[in-house]
Amino acid sequence: MYDSICHPDDFSWKESDFAGVTNKVLNTNPNTGGLTVLTRMDAGAEIPAHHHDIADELVYVLEGDFIENGQHYRPGTVFFAQAGTKHGPHHSQHGCVVLTQFSKTLDFVLD
């Protein structure tokens, strides 16, 4: 049984700290602080290299081209970074939409 059901169209895209990157937070786990986030990256947008001290990050590519440190991921691909693992930069040549799950409260540490 689900505690709640949502549809991404029920949420507005919110600007992030990075040009050309917008997000929709679909769910926050009140027990862990974990997040489920829809992220849209415009063509040429970039999220710099970083790590998360406490949150594991799982990215599922829904559409477009998601590029992780030079490695291209197409729709249907899953990218995983365990807490403490440096990853990025993330960028997109033509634009993309990804679904990201953070296991715990999001902590973003630039490398």
Side-chain angles (χ1 to χ4, degrees), residues 18-36:
F18 310 106
V21 179
T22 53
N23 298 299
K24 292 183 181 189
V25 177
L26 303 179
N27 185 57
T28 302
N29 183 318
N31 298 319
T32 66
L35 298 172
T36 303

Side-chain angles (χ1 to χ4, degrees), residues 50 52 55-59 79-82 87 90 100-102:
H50 62 281
H52 311 288
D56 296 333
E57 177 179 351
L58 181 140
V59 177
F79 165 79
F80 180 77
Q82 189 172 12
H87 54 284
H90 304 312
T100 306
Q101 175 69 47
F102 297 99

Side-chain angles (χ1 to χ4, degrees), residues 50-82:
H50 62 281
H51 71 274
H52 311 288
D53 285 330
I54 61 173
D56 296 333
E57 177 179 351
L58 181 140
V59 177
Y60 180 77
V61 183
L62 297 170
E63 60 184 60
D65 64 308
F66 177 78
I67 304 167
E68 156 61 27
N69 195 26
Q71 177 68 42
H72 291 251
Y73 295 96
R74 65 182 194 277
T77 304
V78 175
F79 165 79
F80 180 77
Q82 189 172 12

Side-chain angles (χ1 to χ4, degrees), residues 84-111:
T85 304
K86 178 180 174 179
H87 54 284
H90 304 312
H91 68 277
S92 181
Q93 187 174 13
H94 303 288
C96 68
V97 176
V98 299
L99 182 69
T100 306
Q101 175 69 47
F102 297 99
S103 62
K104 297 189 178 168
T105 302
L106 178 58
D107 59 326
F108 189 92
V109 182
L110 287 172
D111 285 321

